[in-house]
Amino acid sequence: MPEAALREPSRSSTRRQVIAPVAWGAGATLVLSVLILVGSRNLAHFDAALVGYTFSVLFATFGLTYRYAMWLQRPPTAMYWRRGWQAFLRPGWRRRNAGMWFRRVAEDVVANRFIFARNRLRGLTHMLIMWGCLIAVAITFPLVFGWLHFRPVPGDLSLYEAVAFGFPAFRFPHDSAIAFFLFHGLVWASFLVIAGVMLAVRRRMRDEGAAAVQRFAEDFMPLILLFAVSLTGLMLTASYTWMGGYAYTFIAILHAITVIGTFLWLPFGKFFHIFQRPAQLGVGFYKDAGRAQALAHCRRCGHAFSSRMHIEDLIEVEHQLGFTYEIPGDDGHYQWICPRCRRASLAMAQGALWRGRRGGTPLPDTRPLPMPVHVNPGLRQGPLGVEDADNFYP
Amino acid sequence: MPVPDALEFFIDPGRCIGCQACIQACTECDTHKGQSMIQLDYVDRAHSTQTVPVVCLHCDSPTCAEVCPADAIKRTEDGIVQTARKPRCIACNNCVLACPFGVPKMQTKMNLMMKCDMCYDRTSVGLKPWCASACPSQALAFGTREEMARLRPHAKPVNTFQFGRQTIRTKVNIMVPRDAPTDIVDVTASMHEPTIGREILDDVFMERPDGGDA
């Protein structure tokens, strides 16, 4: 157990750690509230029937900001947050970084490239759910906040007009294909989400690896919520389209409950990764900066194994966490030993205890000691990728 | 289901013959299909056949999880430090660099750290991990303490390690002599020790100075 974990935090520091995230959460909620007031022209275009949704989004905003601010207080997160921005805003690198930002957003966020690399079906599953949810959010949030509404055009009742933030945006015939497409936007979104949820549940039912580690609250609850939202939404459409509005009020309340429940769940469960995940963009810039700087050399075998900046940052983070990997003598800190030499050192330490009992002779001491090598770097048994190879199997 | 308390993992690098059976078996694990999580190294390839097999030792207070900025590494109630949670891992490499045993691997293309989870799909239902099932010399063994005491009367399991000033306790044990003066394996104390083996001559037909065969 790290020493810091054993130390009781003082009451005042605990209070400070909570007050700042609460303030951030309250601030973000206040900003959104003001934007709702302004965007809906002082609630003139606000749909009172959607007030429950609005308050649940406001709560989710508070919860998400609070949790994000709490998360940023963890020593490693704080370090990466700071270093990521420093790397991104580094003088002389800004234009290149801006270009890389667009590229990484396109590849990682829009196209989910890294998830397709894990498994193609898994990539498709995530893509369907992600785009379904994004389309649904893009449609519903402006409606719920009163930022967008539709109205018939005075003098020509065959036309409909979209009004954004109180300004007329565009017109279209209410019986046109574009109207059908727009007014059923949530239906298309629910088709995507339901297909994705079905693929996800299929994987969780068939994959023994997933079955071993999955948990109801973490892995099934989000899928159940997404399915419930999509299904009740579709039931609303079915009710007013084909069933003359049968049980519409009941289904509308049911739909509201599922949507509000999902918003309330946003800050606590798996959905938080939506807000956490963009941190990987910062990691990319941090790694770029590390590659352009001095390398760390293992103090056992002498080979380069990572960026010096990364090792120094990690030493600081470990110190903040209460770890004491300091080594007396020239080695200084265990963090300066490469992963290969750490594994070799484990064997040497065990071998030293068996000395004189199991035979074998220690070979002549030559420093630096040779770098341990993986027994079979081929056949996917060695490094897992280019970075793994660069860092640990040069 | 949790891994049964009575069943434990025992590593004895001194018994490893470098056959790579553990590596092949590890790829069968359902939680990281097709990828081997075993770290098997030659300590000094040019001069010795000594190999060291390392699986995750599942620390009580895992450094990898503590230094993870994304909070992606979780330790289950039964003491297994799970591989990074896929939605969270941001592939920062902190865990790879911080693990005192050099266990995690980074799959950059997938933006994902991967590590041994003691074949959780098997051990959580009472089966042996793949590597321990396949290891012919039982350098990697899985069973009860009573079995180990019976099979290896001269050895005892130890699960406390020293790295400089830092003490780390683990779920996985390493085998040391039964009469060893300590129950702590001091890793950094032996860090600069040369490997164990025999001098290998470059020219196998050369006559040795002592008159023996090369």
Side-chain angles (χ1 to χ4, degrees):
Chain A
M1 180 74 74
E3 283 175 10
L6 296 173
R7 282 199 299 268
E8 279 290 317
S10 71
R11 191 172 288 178
S12 64
S13 74
T14 310
R15 201 180 298 143
R16 238 189 348 264
Q17 283 170 357
V18 174
I19 286 174
V22 167
W24 278 106
T29 313
L30 188 68
V31 168
L32 182 59
S33 305
V34 171
L35 287 174
I36 290 172
L37 279 173
V38 174
S40 63
R41 297 293 174 100
N42 222 5
L43 302 184
H45 305 305
F46 187 80
D47 188 345
L50 303 178
V51 70
Y53 294 103
T54 310
F55 276 102
S56 65
V57 173
L58 286 170
F59 177 84
T61 305
F62 175 81
L64 285 168
T65 315
Y66 173 82
R67 186 166 176 203
Y68 202 91
M70 283 296 255
W71 176 55
L72 283 185
Q73 287 184 0
R74 295 182 70 244
T77 320
M79 172 67 82
Y80 256 110
W81 173 264
R82 201 169 60 243
R83 286 278 189 252
W85 281 110
Q86 283 172 353
F88 183 69
L89 299 172
R90 215 155 44 123
W93 283 59
R94 288 176 192 160
R95 184 174 294 180
R96 176 234 176 237
N97 284 349
M100 284 302 288
W101 186 87
F102 280 107
R103 189 176 149 188
R104 284 178 175 146
V105 166
E107 288 178 351
D108 291 347
V109 182
V110 178
N112 288 177
R113 193 185 55 159
F114 65 99
I115 307 178
F116 276 95
R118 293 173 185 178
N119 179 293
R120 268 180 289 182
L121 199 56
R122 205 168 177 168
L124 177 66
T125 305
H126 191 270
M127 188 77 112
L128 288 167
I129 294 177
M130 183 189 83
W131 281 108
C133 290
L134 283 179
I135 291 169
V137 162
I139 293 170
T140 49
F141 277 37
L143 289 173
V144 164
F145 297 158
W147 293 347
L148 177 70
H149 69 278
F150 297 93
R151 66 182 180 198
V153 176
D156 186 356
L157 294 180
S158 70
L159 286 179
Y160 238 44
E161 187 173 58
V163 183
F165 299 103
F167 300 103
F170 60 96
R171 295 175 174 188
F172 51 90
H174 66 71
D175 55 353
S176 63
I178 189 168
F180 182 81
F181 184 78
L182 276 178
F183 292 146
H184 292 83
L186 289 176
V187 171
W188 318 134
S190 71
F191 283 169
L192 295 178
V193 171
I194 288 174
V197 167
M198 287 169 77
L199 285 173
V201 172
R202 174 183 177 271
R203 188 180 81 84
R204 296 207 166 275
M205 289 172 71
R206 293 163 59 111
D207 187 325
E208 289 182 27
V213 293
Q214 68 200 6
R215 305 203 160 196
F216 180 79
E218 184 72 11
D219 299 306
F220 279 102
M221 194 66 181
L223 295 174
I224 292 169
L225 284 169
L226 290 175
F227 185 72
V229 169
S230 306
L231 187 70
T232 52
L234 282 181
M235 282 162 65
L236 280 173
T237 307
S239 170
Y240 70 70
T241 308
W242 297 304
M243 300 165 73
Y246 177 76
Y248 189 88
T249 310
F250 171 72
I251 301 170
I253 292 171
L254 203 60
H255 184 62
I257 290 171
T258 59
V259 174
I260 291 168
T262 306
F263 284 146
L264 300 185
W265 182 255
L266 266 183
F268 307 109
K270 194 173 195 169
F271 291 133
F272 188 65
H273 84 271
I274 299 164
F275 307 93
Q276 194 180 36
R277 189 86 221 175
Q280 90 181 43
L281 297 170
V283 165
F285 295 115
Y286 181 77
K287 286 181 179 174
D288 292 347
R291 273 190 282 270
Q293 294 179 21
L295 296 174
H297 291 266
C298 174
R299 292 186 180 171
R300 182 179 181 274
C301 69
H303 286 81
F305 68 103
S306 187
S307 75
R308 195 178 174 84
M309 174 176 72
H310 199 163
I311 298 301
E312 287 170 347
D313 287 346
L314 210 41
I315 289 173
E316 191 183 326
V317 166
E318 286 175 2
H319 177 70
Q320 290 168 357
L321 290 166
F323 285 108
T324 51
Y325 282 110
E326 289 81 9
I327 310 171
D330 295 341
D331 295 326
H333 197 283
Y334 190 56
Q335 206 54 64
W336 293 108
I337 307 299
C338 73
R340 286 158 294 154
C341 283
R342 293 179 193 188
R343 299 194 288 270
S345 300
L346 178 67
M348 300 322 299
Q350 191 239 9
L353 291 169
W354 284 98
R355 186 161 302 147
R357 300 164 207 257
R358 278 185 164 172
T361 339
L363 293 174
D365 192 350
T366 52
R367 297 196 182 191
L369 289 164
M371 178 182 67
V373 291
H374 204 278
V375 291
N376 193 346
L379 300 173
R380 303 170 76 189
Q381 294 166 9
L384 282 178
V386 177
E387 187 175 354
D388 209 16
D390 282 351
N391 284 344
F392 310 118
Y393 302 90
Chain B
M1 269 169 46
V3 177
D5 283 340
L7 297 173
E8 293 185 53
F9 203 109
F10 305 90
I11 306 179
D12 189 345
R15 295 172 76 104
C16 180
I17 55 172
C19 70
Q20 305 174 37
C22 55
I23 292 181
Q24 302 295 345
C26 184
T27 59
E28 296 290 327
C29 183
D30 271 323
T31 53
H32 48 81
K33 300 170 193 69
Q35 308 264 15
S36 178
M37 294 298 114
I38 305 277
Q39 301 274 14
L40 181 58
D41 299 286
Y42 282 114
V43 179
D44 181 352
R45 184 70 184 99
H47 302 104
S48 167
T49 56
Q50 186 181 9
T51 47
V52 48
V54 178
V55 295
C56 178
L57 278 87
H58 301 281
C59 305
D60 283 357
S61 177
T63 313
C64 59
E66 298 276 354
V67 301
C68 175
D71 207 10
I73 305 169
K74 297 291 181 191
R75 182 172 173 270
T76 46
E77 296 80 1
D78 48 6
I80 301 295
V81 182
Q82 299 288 352
T83 194
R85 290 200 67 93
K86 292 181 180 70
R88 291 193 185 183
C89 180
I90 52 174
C92 69
N93 259 341
N94 263 10
C95 53
V96 179
L97 292 168
C99 171
F101 301 102
V103 167
K105 293 183 173 187
M106 180 53 63
Q107 178 55 285
T108 316
K109 210 170 139 192
M110 299 183 189
N111 268 346
L112 184 66
M113 176 277 268
M114 299 174 85
K115 67 175 265 301
C116 153
D117 59 2
M118 212 197 271
C119 286
Y120 203 63
D121 57 325
R122 292 172 59 81
T123 49
S124 60
V125 293
L127 296 172
K128 282 185 176 189
W130 278 115
C131 56
S133 305
C135 180
S137 63
Q138 285 294 280
L140 303 173
F142 189 77
T144 64
R145 280 183 175 249
E146 293 70 31
E147 280 170 355
M148 289 308 283
R150 185 166 46 80
L151 292 168
R152 302 185 195 178
H154 302 298
K156 66 176 177 184
V158 163
N159 67 344
T160 309
F161 301 85
Q162 196 68 35
F163 302 91
R165 289 171 49 214
Q166 181 67 47
T167 306
I168 295 286
R169 280 174 59 85
T170 61
K171 183 177 176 68
V172 170
N173 304 282
I174 196 162
M175 301 306 285
V176 303
R178 181 161 291 277
D179 56 356
T182 174
D183 280 341
I184 296 178
V185 177
D186 194 336
V187 176
T188 41
S190 308
M191 204 161 61
H192 293 287
E193 295 228 358
T195 185
I196 294 168
R198 291 173 188 277
E199 280 288 5
I200 301 170
L201 299 177
D202 289 340
D203 183 353
V204 292
F205 298 111
M206 190 175 79
E207 285 187 8
R208 284 171 47 165
D210 59 6
D213 294 331

